[in-house]
Amino acid sequence: GFFCFVTAPASAQEINLEDQAREATREFMQALKGHLSEAIKEGGPSQAINVCSEVAPKIASRISREKGWQVGRTSLRLRNPINMPQAWEREVLVEFDERLRNGVEAKKLEYSDVIQIDGQRIFRYMKAITTQDLCLQCHGTNLPPAVKEELDRLYPHDQATGFSQGDIRGAFTIRIPVDDPKTKEELEGSDLRN
């Protein structure tokens, strides 16, 4: 059966996991932004769509493989249905939007917890993706015709447009099996580096 309950991250191990999740998110964000900038420079905004559809999942997959985690992106307004939020992610995204409306800086919006599923502790982390200038070329309101055509072709049910700078576009999401030997090895390695 499936059994789940929530506990708050409190141990040094769990705080270390949060730091590592932040670092993995930063790595994902920087790699994605670099590929997007390069694609736009080479072929304009419509080239960036391929980066998000093809390169971003590869970045997430690489980080997931290297660390033994589940790393991805999600949103309340999806472009790619593969990124559909799980129930807990949907709740966090709604909370992020509410906190942003209440004056919390978007870059400070993150969430973490530890749950137990069938005897396994899972650390969960989310970091809001803030809409920046670069994003608006494919996620804004006035899209160039070439971008609109490519989005219509690749994503006929796209919901991920109409954003303004500073809006929450979605979130990076990470799930880490706390008791997994690879996770413990990562944690021990990071302790030695600090």
Side-chain angles (χ1 to χ4, degrees), residues 67-120:
K67 299 194 173 288
W69 304 348
Q70 292 178 341
V71 177
R73 297 172 301 156
T74 192
S75 180
L76 293 174
R77 291 166 49 191
L78 292 172
R79 174 155 288 164
N80 189 337
I82 290 171
N83 297 327
M84 176 87 57
Q86 295 178 359
W88 75 273
E89 292 169 324
R90 179 175 299 284
E91 288 175 22
V92 171
L93 287 164
V94 168
E95 182 183 316
F96 282 175
D97 280 339
E98 188 175 312
R99 290 172 61 199
L100 184 69
R101 280 192 303 276
N102 289 330
V104 176
E105 277 184 81
K107 67 181 179 183
K108 293 183 178 176
L109 293 172
E110 63 178 351
Y111 172 89
S112 68
D113 69 11
V114 177
I115 61 166
Q116 188 135 353
I117 301 175
D118 293 334
Q120 299 283 341

Side-chain angles (χ1 to χ4, degrees), residues 178-192:
V178 176
D179 301 315
D180 184 87
K182 189 167 184 170
T183 300
K184 289 182 177 184
E185 188 179 302
E186 281 277 329
L187 288 173
E188 288 167 9
S190 71
D191 286 343
L192 295 174

